[in-house]
Amino acid sequence: MHLRYNSDIDEIIGKIGEVEAWFCSPCPHYKIDEAILRYAKNLRVIVTPSTGVTHIDTDYCVAQQIQLRTLKGTDAVEKIFASSEFTFTLILAAVRNLYPALKGVARKEWREYEDRYRGLELNGRTLGVIGYGRIGRNISRYGRGFGMKLVAHDPYVHIPAEHGVTACDMDEVLERADVLALCVHLTSETRLMVNEKW
């Protein structure tokens, strides 16, 4: 099956009955769910070049015995830093009021509004990390480079003391953090793990 990167659903449905393996886009404009997969009578495996699978109906795949293969847990993904860097960029943009400041500069505003755009310094503040996998470890390392104190929670990963990160339960991370990074996959277990109560 050969498909363009942005193939529409009708095109996929027209060809998917022929294949046993599908190498899919990591961010399609549709969900790979029963509406598509019911036509995949011979499909045995879906491969996605991502660590997350929110674009795939995993329950349907399990029910139909369609295997899923992702980058999660592979050696290759340990050399990918884009998501970690982008996440820390968003932290900087939020605490330094980058977006409003850029809009202000475009309006030729600066010194007279400097206090509005100043934001917070990260140095000396506490970075809380929920999920200490690849991205959580990278975010912690970047935070340490900015002089931040580090607290983290992950019930499935050992957080070594030599990383300079204090392992805490989730409540303590949420109480102590000035900045919070959620570095977990969206699953039924993690959905709404941080909500309006916090």
Side-chain angles (χ1 to χ4, degrees):
M1 172 171 77
H2 283 124
L3 293 167
R4 296 173 293 109
Y5 180 72
N6 282 322
S7 297
D8 61 35
I9 292 176
D10 290 338
E11 187 177 358
I12 292 168
I13 288 172
K15 294 188 175 182
I16 197 155
E18 309 166 6
V19 302
E20 294 181 357
W22 182 5
F23 189 88
C24 71
S25 165
C27 48
H29 56 279
Y30 49 82
K31 176 119 178 176
I32 300 172
D33 59 10
E34 183 177 0
I36 294 173
L37 294 175
R38 63 185 168 157
Y39 296 98
K41 302 301 183 188
N42 299 309
L43 189 63
R44 296 289 169 259
V45 62
I46 298 175
V47 180
T48 178
S50 61
T51 56
V53 291
T54 53
H55 55 299
I56 301 170
D57 183 338
T58 55
D59 292 336
Y60 186 81
C61 288
V62 168
Q64 298 301 311
Q65 298 184 316
I66 299 170
Q67 297 178 47
L68 292 178
R69 296 285 183 262
T70 74
L71 291 176
K72 188 172 182 179
T74 65
D75 290 339
V77 80
E78 292 298 325
K79 298 173 185 163
I80 298 172
F81 297 94
S83 297
S84 305
E85 291 174 2
F86 186 68
T87 300
F88 206 82
T89 299
L90 292 175
I91 290 171
L92 287 170
V95 300
R96 301 303 313 190
N97 291 325
L98 181 61
Y99 183 66
L102 287 172
K103 290 178 75 174
V105 169
R107 292 190 300 267
K108 302 190 181 339
E109 300 171 356
W110 190 249
R111 287 294 177 198
E112 65 273 31
Y113 297 100
E114 190 172 357
D115 285 345
R116 183 187 304 170
Y117 302 139
R118 190 179 305 278
L120 303 172
E121 291 184 353
L122 292 180
N123 186 66
R125 297 189 184 272
T126 299
L127 173 62
V129 178
I130 305 291
Y132 200 71
R134 172 180 59 98
I135 293 176
R137 289 193 309 273
N138 289 338
I139 295 299
S140 298
R141 185 163 49 87
Y142 303 157
R144 189 164 49 254
F146 275 78
M148 300 186 79
K149 301 169 193 166
L150 305 166
V151 293
H153 171 73
D154 193 318
Y156 303 107
V157 175
H158 172 66
I159 302 172
E162 58 268 25
H163 284 193
V165 180
T166 302
C168 303
D169 63 32
M170 188 160 149
D171 287 349
E172 188 175 355
V173 170
L174 294 170
E175 287 167 9
R176 292 175 61 179
D178 297 303
V179 176
L180 181 67
L182 293 175
C183 304
V184 298
H185 286 285
L186 179 61
T187 66
S188 57
E189 182 183 5
T190 61
R191 187 182 297 277
L192 299 179
M193 68 187 299
V194 175
N195 53 43
E196 65 272 6
K197 142 181 172 179
W198 299 103

